[in-house]
Amino acid sequence: MPIDQSVLDEIALSRTEYDQIVARLGRAPNPVELGMFGALWSEHCGYKNSKPLLRLFPTTGEHVLVEAGKENAGVIDIGDGLAIAMKIESHNHPSAIEPYEGAATGVGGIVRDVFAMGARPIALLNSLRFGPLTDARNRYLFQGVVAGISGYGNCLGIPNVGGEVVFAPEYNGNPLVNAMCVGLVDPERMMSAKASGAGNLLMIVGADTGRDGIHGASGLASRSFEAEERELRSAVQVGNPFMEKLLLEACLELVQTDWLVGLQDLGAAGLTSAAVECAAKGGVGIEIDVLKVPRRARGMTAYDVMLSESQERMLAIVRQGHEAQVAAMFAKWDLTSAVIGRVISEPVARIREGDAVVAEVPVDLFTDPPLYRRSGVLSEEVRALQAFDLAGLPDRPPEGMSWNDALLRLLGSPNITSKRSVYRQYDHQVLTNTVEGPGGDAAVLRIKGTDKGIALTTDGNGRLCYLNPHDGGAIVVAEAARNVVCAGARPVALTDCLNFGNPERPEVYYQLEACITGMSAACRALGVPVISGNVSLFNETAGKSIYPTPIVGMLGLLSQIERHCTIGFKHPGDEVILLGADLSLPACTATDSLGGGEYLATLHGLVVGNPTIDLDLEVKVQRLCIELIESGLVRSAHDCSDGGLAVTLAECCAAGSIGFAAAALGSPGRVDSLLFGEAQSRIVVSVAPERAPEVERAAAGAGVPVTRLGAAGGDRFRFGPVDLPVAGLAESWEGGLEAALAAGAAGP
Amino acid sequence: MKFGVVVFPGTWSDTDCFHAIDTVLHEPVEYIWHRQTDVQGFDCIVLPGGFSYGDYLRTGAIAKFAPVMTAVAEHARRGGLVIGICNGFQILCEAGLLPGALLRNQSLQFRCMWTNLRTENAGTPFTSSLSRGQVMRVPISHGDGNYYADDATLKDLEDSGRVVFRYCEADGAITPDANPNGSLHNIAGIMNERGNVLGMMPHPERCCEPLLGGDDGRLILESIVSGAGVAAGLK
C-alpha cells in the first residue's frame, strides 16, 4: 500500500527518500522505524545537503585531537597537558517560536555537547540576529532570547564571555540564535560518544522522558518556517538548568573513573540519534527496551520515547558490572538513572517494548542518508547590486546631517552601539578566569595553573556574505581571526555555524557553496582548522531567505596571558597607527570600501556593492600585529570593521576615555570612504611615540602598508571633518540599544 | 584559620572561593557537602554563590532545609564565622541567621557588573583590614539582590552598625545611580547582632588577583584570616 504523503510531510522525508528506505531495508518500515528515519535523515542530523560541501573545510592540524564531525565537539591541544573542546550550534527555529525556552535550551544543548567530551565548560558565547527593533515581535524575540540565555547560562555557573547582536530586516520572523561552548579537558581523560563491547550497558540519566519536542530535528530544524507555526510553541522544549548543572557535575566526576565506555548527550532526535550515533561510531549494535526509560507522561508509545527531545538527558555507555557504581554516583547528585539496554555485536538498532521488537534497522542504514550535491547560481538580484555605481554617490553626509551627526548616528545605531545592556545580564566572570569580558574585540580567559590564556570571539556578517558569498565567507573567518589577534592571541582553531535558507533553491545553494569555499580559503591562508560545526538550513519565512549567515567561533592562544591587549587608547601622546593601508594612496579610500558597510545600510538605506578581501595582505597584517603585541610594542589594538575607521577610532577613544587628534593625512580620497569605508585587513594600534619608528620598520619588513593617523590625547575626537567631545561619542555609543528599544516601543 | 566552603546542588562559586582561599591566600580550605551534618573543625564557613537547588521557588528557600544548615547554625551559635556571598546571603536570610530578604532586582533583570562598595563598619571580623569609608571595587552577579527589611529592622541594623557595605560611587557618595538592584539604603552587605555572620551580594572571591581586573576582594578574605576582627567584633 503506498504511504500517505501527509505521513511523509510530518517527518520531512521526500517520496524518493522513502522509496530508498524501502529498497535498502527490503520492506516497508513500520511507523516507529519511519519516525527514526525521519529524524536521522533530516538535514539537522544527517547533513544531507551540506556534507559534500563541508568536506571543503580544512579539518586537520598538528594540534587537532578530535576533528570536526567525529564527536560531540572538536578538541585541540593547547599544551601543558590541556586541550580545548568547543562547538557552536544553532537553535533558530525553536527561538522563533518561543524565544526564552528556545534560546535557553540552545545553551543547554551546546553545554552537554562539551561535557559529553569529558571537558569542563569554561565559557559560553553566542551570536544573535533579529529583525529591526521597530517591530514589536522583534523586540519580544530579542528580549526573550537574551533573557533565556541569561536565565539558563547564569544558573549553570558558566561565564558568557562574548557574542554579537545584529539587526536586519532579513531576519524578520527568523531570528538566529547560535550558542557556543568552550571546555577545558585533560586529553588523557577525554570521553567519546562511542558504544563498544557487547554486553556493556546503556544507561539514561537526567530528566524523565516526556512528549516534548517530538520531531524537533525533522519538523522544526530542517524545513522552512511559516508564520502559523508560531502556534507550535508546545513543540519547543522547556529547559531545566538546575538539572543540567547536576548532570554536568555528575558526568565530570564520572569521567574520572574507568566505569564509562562512552558518553553522549540526547539532543536533536533524542534517544534515537544518541543511541544510533554511539553504535555507528563503535561499529556495534544496540538494543533498547523503551519500557525501561523513565517517563514523565502516561501512555507514551515507543515512537514517543524514541523521538522525544526532552532536555537534560545523557546516555552513558557503562562497562558491564559497574552499573551500580555509576547509578550511585548519579544518585549522589540526586539524579535518576536507569539501564535501558545494552551494546550488541550485531550492527543493528533493535528497539523493544518489553518482549516485542518494535523496530530493527541496520545501524549503517540509519546513518547513511542520501547526500545531495546541487548546482547553485548567483542570483540576478545580487549581480545587479554588485554592479551598483558607488562612485556615483555624492560624497556628502545624508540630507540634513553633518559628518559629526553621521558619526554619532552610526555609533548609536543598534548594530554598532555597545551591547552592555545585553551582556550585563550574563554572568561573565564566574570561574574567575575572565581577564577581558565582553565588549572588546575578543574575550580573554586565563588558564589556571599555566601562564597561558585563550581569546574567544564569534563573528558573522550576513550582509557581506549576501553581496559576495565567496569573499564574505572569507571575511568572516579573517575578521574572527583578526579579533583574537587584536587581543594578543594566535588563532588556532574555529567552530562554525552555517545559517542559510532553503538549499533546494539554486541561489541559496550557491550562497552555501560559495561561502564555504571562501571560508575554506581563509582557513587555509591563516592556517586555522575547522574543528567542529553545525548547519542550520531552511531559515526562511514566507518564501524569503535570511541573509547567508555563516558564524565563526574563533579560538586564539596566548602563550603569556599578561601580554594580552585591549582596544582602548591608554596614554596621551601615544601615536595611533593604522596597519594594513596607506591612506595617502587613492586606492585606500576608494568608494568600493563602502560596499556592504554599515554607513550605506544605516544612513542611506543601501545594501549594495561587492565587498572583497585580499587574503595575502590579511595574513601579513595579522602576523605583524601579533608580533607587535607579543614584543610589547603596542599599547592597544582594535580591528577596523563595522562603520569603518571613524567608528573604530571613536571606540578606541570611548573605551580609553581619552581623545584623538588626526594628523594631516594627505588623503586624496573621498571623505565618506575615509571615515566609514570598511576595507578589510586593517587594525588600529597605539604606541608610545618614541617607539613608532620601530612599528614602521617592522611593518616595512613584513610588507604591510601603514599610516600614521595621529595621536591619542585630550578630550575631543578630531578626524577629518569630524570634531566632537569624547563624552558625546561615548554617550551615543553606550546608549544606542536602550534608545532603540524605547523608540520602538513608543511607535512611529 | 581553616575555611569550609559549602556545596549545595546548584552552587557555582564554590570553586572560585576555594581558589581564592587556597591558591591566592594559601590558607587551609575544604569543601563541605550539603548533606554533611557536622562542620566542627572549621573556623570560617563560606556559603558561596549559585542557584542552590535551582532556586526555582525562592532564592535560598530550599537550601535552608539542607542538613548542613543545622550544623552551620550551630557553628554560628558557638561564635564561629560565617560569610554568605550572593546565594549564600540569600540562604542566610531564609535560614533566619540574618534579618530581611533579597527581592528581585528592581530592573527585573540579572546584573553582572563591577560595583563600588563603601565600608561602613571596619570593626568586624570581615573588615578589619579595611578602614571606615574605604571604597572597594567588587563585582556583583545576581538577579535577586534587592535587600529589603521592615522599617524597624532597618533602623536596628543602621543604629547598631550592622550595615557593613553599601553600594556607592567611586568617590564614596551614596546615590541611587550607584545602586545596581534597588536595595534599601543601598545595602550590599549586613551582619548579625553578634557580628560573626556576614551576608553580602557582591563577590569578593572574583577580585583577589589584579589579572582579573582588581584585587580589593582580598581585603575581606585577609580580614578574616588575620583573626584580628574576631576579638574586636564579637560581642
Side-chain angles (χ1 to χ4, degrees):
Chain A
M1 192 180 73
I3 187 147
D4 195 77
Q5 188 61 40
S6 65
V7 175
L8 294 178
D9 286 347
E10 195 182 335
I11 53 171
L13 282 182
S14 72
R15 185 159 293 277
T16 318
E17 286 165 345
Y18 178 79
D19 292 342
Q20 278 191 50
I21 291 170
V22 175
R24 290 168 66 183
L25 198 57
R27 61 178 170 85
N30 69 34
V32 178
E33 291 165 340
L34 187 58
M36 294 171 73
F37 271 109
L40 291 166
W41 282 22
S42 68
E43 181 61 37
H44 196 81
C45 293
Y47 295 92
K48 56 192 173 191
N49 287 291
S50 52
K51 202 179 241 171
L53 297 176
L54 297 176
R55 291 181 185 136
L56 296 170
F57 283 137
T59 54
T60 55
E62 192 187 344
H63 302 293
V64 177
L65 297 180
V66 176
E67 289 173 30
K70 305 280 192 224
E71 291 282 352
N72 282 303
V75 182
I76 187 147
D77 196 335
I78 60 164
D80 290 327
L82 291 168
I84 293 285
M86 66 175 195
K87 192 179 181 190
I88 190 168
E89 201 162 75
S90 66
H91 231 212
N92 303 336
H93 287 79
S95 304
I97 299 171
E98 164 44 59
Y100 185 98
E101 296 298 346
T105 54
V107 173
I110 198 66
V111 168
R112 285 194 301 281
D113 276 337
V114 166
F115 74 73
M117 301 298 301
R120 160 72 62 182
I122 58 166
L124 288 166
L125 294 94
N126 57 64
S127 179
L128 311 177
R129 297 292 182 282
F130 301 94
L133 291 173
T134 44
D135 177 81
R137 182 156 180 94
N138 291 335
R139 291 195 298 279
Y140 161 74
L141 291 174
F142 167 58
Q143 290 171 315
V145 164
V146 170
I149 292 171
S150 163
Y152 203 99
N154 293 345
C155 189
L156 292 181
I158 304 170
N160 196 317
V161 297
E164 47 166 23
V165 189
V166 176
F167 304 90
E170 283 65 24
Y171 304 105
N172 273 329
N174 197 133
L176 302 185
V177 177
N178 291 184
M180 172 175 168
C181 185
V182 179
L184 196 59
V185 61
D186 171 358
E188 303 291 311
R189 283 280 161 200
M190 212 152 60
M191 283 305 303
S192 171
K194 186 167 142 184
S196 62
N200 285 333
L201 300 164
L202 304 187
M203 208 165 184
I204 194 169
V205 59
D208 291 346
T209 297
R211 284 204 181 88
D212 44 338
I214 290 172
H215 293 316
S218 56
L220 283 182
S222 296
R223 59 179 155 185
S224 304
F225 175 64
E226 301 304 333
E228 56 268 27
E229 291 186 7
R230 284 179 194 164
E231 303 313 315
L232 289 175
R233 277 182 79 190
S234 59
V236 179
Q237 311 88 304
V238 173
N240 177 352
F242 174 56
M243 178 75 80
E244 177 105 341
K245 169 72 171 160
L246 299 180
L247 272 177
L248 188 169
E249 297 300 339
C251 288
L252 290 183
E253 214 170 315
L254 265 178
V255 300
Q256 298 304 319
T257 70
D258 293 316
W259 306 333
L260 296 191
V261 175
L263 189 60
Q264 164 78 300
D265 102 277
L266 274 71
L271 193 50
T272 291
S273 168
V276 169
E277 282 178 16
C278 276
K281 256 177 219 132
V284 294
I286 49 102
E287 185 174 87
I288 287 174
D289 181 356
V290 294
L291 292 181
K292 303 258 173 67
V293 176
R295 304 162 186 210
R296 69 171 73 134
R298 283 200 190 140
M300 287 179 70
T301 62
Y303 186 100
D304 294 342
V305 172
M306 289 310 295
L307 291 164
S308 160
E309 292 191 8
S310 292
Q311 296 292 293
E312 291 94 21
R313 298 179 299 161
M314 299 290 286
L315 184 68
I317 318 298
V318 178
R319 228 175 274 286
Q320 203 176 359
H322 293 284
E323 55 273 22
Q325 289 157 300
V326 173
M329 179 72 86
F330 286 132
K332 173 193 163 186
W333 288 97
D334 298 331
L335 290 165
T336 306
S337 62
V339 173
I340 60 166
R342 61 196 177 94
V343 179
I344 56 178
S345 49
E346 189 187 354
V348 299
R350 185 181 297 134
I351 312 302
R352 291 179 175 278
E353 189 164 20
D355 291 335
V357 173
V358 294
E360 183 165 335
V361 173
V363 169
D364 59 1
L365 190 44
F366 271 143
T367 56
D368 184 27
L371 300 179
Y372 301 113
R373 187 81 204 237
R374 305 174 190 276
S375 54
V377 56
L378 179 64
S379 77
E380 283 308 318
E381 188 186 319
V382 171
R383 219 179 272 283
L385 296 174
Q386 287 181 341
F388 184 90
D389 176 24
L390 284 165
L393 288 172
D395 183 14
R396 58 168 184 251
E399 197 62 36
M401 275 190 208
S402 63
W403 288 117
N404 279 353
D405 298 337
L407 176 58
L408 290 176
R409 185 73 74 84
L410 265 185
L411 284 172
S413 67
N415 287 347
I416 289 181
T417 185
S418 159
K419 303 302 182 295
R420 197 175 64 94
S421 65
V422 172
Y423 64 71
R424 69 183 176 186
Q425 297 180 56
Y426 307 146
D427 187 337
H428 45 264
Q429 297 176 319
V430 65
L431 302 181
T432 59
N433 297 318
T434 308
V435 174
E436 290 297 329
D441 280 335
V444 176
L445 274 68
R446 68 161 168 197
I447 303 294
K448 285 192 184 106
T450 75
D451 295 330
K452 288 181 176 153
I454 56 171
L456 298 165
T457 186
T458 53
D459 268 294
N461 193 322
R463 200 164 50 223
L464 298 186
C465 291
Y466 173 67
L467 290 170
N468 182 341
H470 179 279
D471 280 32
I475 286 169
V476 170
V477 171
E479 190 184 333
R482 211 184 305 138
N483 280 331
V484 301
V485 161
C486 287
R490 291 178 180 265
V492 291
L494 70 80
T495 177
D496 68 282
C497 191
L498 303 174
N499 304 276
F500 287 79
N502 179 351
E504 290 154 17
R505 297 178 199 277
E507 61 276 19
V508 172
Y509 193 81
Y510 177 85
Q511 294 171 337
L512 183 64
E513 183 167 27
C515 272
I516 290 174
T517 309
M519 292 170 78
S520 302
C523 286
R524 290 202 166 82
L526 293 161
V528 179
V530 175
I531 63 167
S532 59
N534 168 244
V535 179
S536 172
L537 303 180
F538 303 95
N539 287 287
E540 52 184 60
T541 302
K544 199 171 173 327
S545 287
I546 58 160
Y547 277 149
T549 315
I551 300 295
V552 165
M554 185 69 72
L555 170 73
L557 189 59
L558 293 103
S559 53
Q560 296 291 323
I561 185 73
E562 320 83 77
R563 280 283 157 93
H564 78 277
C565 196
T566 53
I567 71 169
F569 292 148
K570 304 290 184 300
H571 297 289
D574 278 0
E575 282 278 348
V576 176
I577 298 175
L578 178 66
L579 309 180
D582 178 351
L583 295 181
S584 68
L585 301 176
C588 289
T589 46
T591 46
D592 53 3
S593 68
L594 291 172
E598 280 295 329
Y599 170 73
L600 287 188
T602 302
L603 297 184
H604 293 273
L606 283 175
V607 175
V608 294
N610 187 11
T612 56
I613 184 169
D614 172 355
L615 285 172
D616 289 338
L617 176 63
E618 182 71 40
V619 170
K620 287 181 195 164
V621 169
Q622 292 194 17
R623 289 203 179 132
L624 171 66
C625 185
I626 196 74
E627 278 158 22
L628 294 176
I629 294 173
E630 285 182 351
S631 61
L633 259 179
V634 299
R635 287 174 165 160
S636 74
H638 188 15
D639 161 42
C640 187
S641 61
D642 302 347
L645 198 47
V647 166
T648 304
L649 289 166
E651 287 170 349
C652 296
C653 289
S657 301
I658 188 170
F660 168 76
L665 290 176
S667 167
R670 291 167 54 121
V671 174
D672 53 5
S673 299
L674 171 69
L675 296 181
F676 304 122
E678 296 186 12
Q680 295 298 311
S681 316
R682 299 188 302 169
I683 294 172
V684 169
V685 298
S686 67
V687 51
E690 68 277 11
R691 306 199 72 178
E694 288 175 70
V695 171
E696 285 169 325
R697 275 199 298 279
V704 172
V706 298
T707 307
R708 285 214 198 194
L709 291 174
D715 59 3
R716 292 193 76 81
F717 177 79
R718 294 195 175 99
F719 182 50
V722 174
D723 185 352
L724 286 162
V726 172
L729 291 179
E731 195 183 318
S732 291
W733 183 62
E734 278 292 337
L737 209 46
E738 282 154 307
L741 279 170
Chain B
M1 181 68 59
K2 185 170 179 188
F3 288 82
V5 176
V6 176
V7 184
F8 300 97
T11 295
W12 43 236
S13 279
D14 46 347
T15 56
D16 297 354
C17 292
F18 193 98
H19 172 82
I21 298 164
D22 176 54
T23 312
V24 182
L25 292 182
H26 306 294
E27 291 295 320
V29 54
E30 284 175 24
Y31 289 114
I32 300 172
W33 190 237
H34 64 112
R35 293 206 187 98
Q36 244 169 274
T37 53
D38 182 0
V39 296
Q40 289 197 42
F42 294 103
D43 303 304
C44 180
I45 304 289
V46 182
L47 300 180
F51 287 70
S52 51
Y53 304 90
D55 274 347
Y56 291 128
L57 176 58
R58 198 175 61 238
T59 57
I62 305 293
K64 76 168 171 181
F65 295 113
V68 74
M69 283 310 292
T70 309
V72 169
E74 173 60 20
H75 170 84
R77 206 185 50 74
R78 287 197 308 264
L81 297 182
V82 179
I83 177 170
I85 299 165
C86 195
N87 192 221
F89 185 11
Q90 295 161 342
I91 294 167
L92 288 172
C93 288
E94 284 288 336
L97 291 171
L98 288 174
L102 282 313
L103 311 180
R104 284 295 302 280
N105 292 349
Q106 211 163 44
S107 63
L108 302 182
Q109 288 180 346
F110 196 93
R111 280 289 177 273
C112 177
M113 57 192 276
W114 287 87
T115 61
N116 293 300
L117 299 185
R118 192 172 79 185
T119 310
E120 300 293 281
N121 183 346
T124 83
F126 310 96
T127 53
S128 58
S129 299
L130 289 147
S131 50
R132 187 175 151 82
Q134 188 170 344
V135 175
M136 294 183 291
R137 272 183 84 239
V138 183
I140 59 159
S141 186
H142 59 247
D144 300 75
N146 179 357
Y147 184 77
Y148 178 84
D150 61 42
D151 290 344
T153 306
L154 210 53
K155 185 172 185 314
D156 186 32
L157 283 172
E158 294 284 8
D159 291 350
S160 56
R162 288 159 56 201
V163 174
V164 182
F165 302 114
R166 254 187 259 274
Y167 300 108
C168 67
E169 304 286 348
D171 64 0
I174 305 296
T175 66
D177 279 352
N179 185 336
N181 54 35
S183 64
L184 290 176
H185 295 202
N186 278 36
I187 285 172
I190 59 167
M191 63 178 182
N192 64 347
E193 264 178 80
R194 196 169 171 187
N196 63 327
V197 177
L198 174 82
M200 63 187 296
M201 289 312 297
H203 287 271
E205 79 283 3
R206 292 189 182 188
C207 52
C208 291
E209 297 158 271
L211 184 63
L212 302 181
D215 59 355
D216 286 352
R218 271 186 87 134
L219 295 168
I220 294 173
L221 296 178
E222 281 169 356
S223 298
I224 298 171
V225 171
S226 76
V230 178
L234 294 185
K235 289 175 191 165

